[in-house]
Amino acid sequence: SLAVLPVEALASRTEPPEFYKALVRQIRRHDEIELQELLAHLEAVGYTRHDPVEMAGQYSVRGGIVDVCSPEARRPVRMELVGDEVESLREFDPETQRSTGTVERTALLPLTEFPLRQDVLDEIHARLGRDSEVHVSSGIHVSGEPFPGWEFLLPVVQPLEHTLLDLSPQAILYLEEPAELEREMERLWV
């Protein structure tokens, strides 16, 4: 595959590759999962609760049945839990809500690069100043709650020391005007 990037994207700081792998939840038939932990994970990586599930990024819960639609999945998946065991995994049609076939495993992909964590939001708020009126460009008051663009403030509370090249260690780079790019990287990588 080929990626063309502006130098600003290449200079963006990221988490290490293992961090992003942990955002994906692999579920297989007969796995033992803790329902509340799974639901907390889905919320943290950008899923929203919606009944019935109709599109990517939604999930619903009815007793021991969890419906979830992962981005890039062919169809949503219905997990039937007996206790903490995944007894069955079935794809279903979101229009009819009827099963279309069984699957042995599914991958629940994240909808965000950074999971939503209350401790991080609280730290961002503390660093911006508890007593001051801090507003983001959308006019939303920052009060420990998520707001548009909160993830851009992550470097304020936790160091991000990796780049996109760490995510693609075998990448081959073609640089146009390398001296100018080097100056720009020095400026951006503060």
Side-chain angles (χ1 to χ4, degrees):
S1 64
L2 173 69
V4 178
L5 308 175
V7 70
E8 291 86 358
L10 189 59
S12 296
R13 296 174 190 234
T14 66
E15 294 282 358
E18 303 78 38
F19 173 86
Y20 296 106
K21 288 177 186 171
L23 296 181
V24 177
R25 184 58 53 98
Q26 300 282 346
I27 298 179
R28 291 174 191 78
R29 216 171 72 127
H30 302 300
D31 278 356
E32 294 281 325
I33 62 170
E34 205 286 309
L35 179 60
Q36 292 309 313
E37 189 276 327
L38 174 65
L39 300 180
H41 174 79
L42 291 174
E43 290 278 338
V45 297
Y47 286 79
T48 57
R49 194 167 185 159
H50 189 274
D51 193 23
V53 167
E54 299 172 331
M55 59 190 287
Q58 296 178 339
Y59 76 93
S60 70
V61 181
R62 293 176 316 285
I65 297 173
V66 179
D67 291 348
V68 63
C69 189
S70 180
E72 299 188 28
R74 186 174 64 164
R75 292 188 182 273
V77 172
R78 180 164 290 141
M79 291 180 260
E80 189 172 344
L81 303 174
V82 175
D84 287 343
E85 182 182 348
V86 179
E87 183 174 277
S88 72
L89 287 170
R90 297 176 307 227
E91 292 181 330
F92 67 93
D93 182 333
E95 289 188 29
T96 65
Q97 296 292 305
R98 293 189 172 191
S99 295
T100 60
T102 61
V103 293
E104 287 298 311
R105 66 178 187 270
T106 189
L108 304 178
L109 303 178
L111 283 94
T112 180
E113 292 178 50
F114 299 101
L116 186 60
R117 292 186 12 222
Q118 191 60 50
D119 61 323
V120 171
L121 291 171
D122 291 343
E123 181 66 22
I124 288 171
H125 176 63
R127 294 277 177 102
L128 292 175
R130 263 181 228 277
D131 300 323
S132 63
E133 285 290 313
V134 179
H135 294 271
V136 293
S137 61
S138 66
I140 298 172
H141 185 271
V142 179
S143 63
E145 295 294 318
F147 57 91
W150 70 269
E151 60 274 0
F152 295 110
L153 295 175
L154 277 173
V156 170
V157 298
Q158 65 187 41
L160 298 174
E161 300 174 358
H162 297 270
T163 69
L164 290 175
L165 292 177
D166 295 314
L167 302 176
S168 300
Q170 297 176 335
I172 298 171
L173 298 179
Y174 169 76
L175 305 174
E176 188 174 308
E177 301 181 30
E180 186 176 322
L181 289 174
E182 186 176 350
R183 282 192 302 277
E184 190 65 12
M185 282 294 286
E186 287 174 8
R187 183 184 72 77
L188 292 168
W189 194 263
V190 194

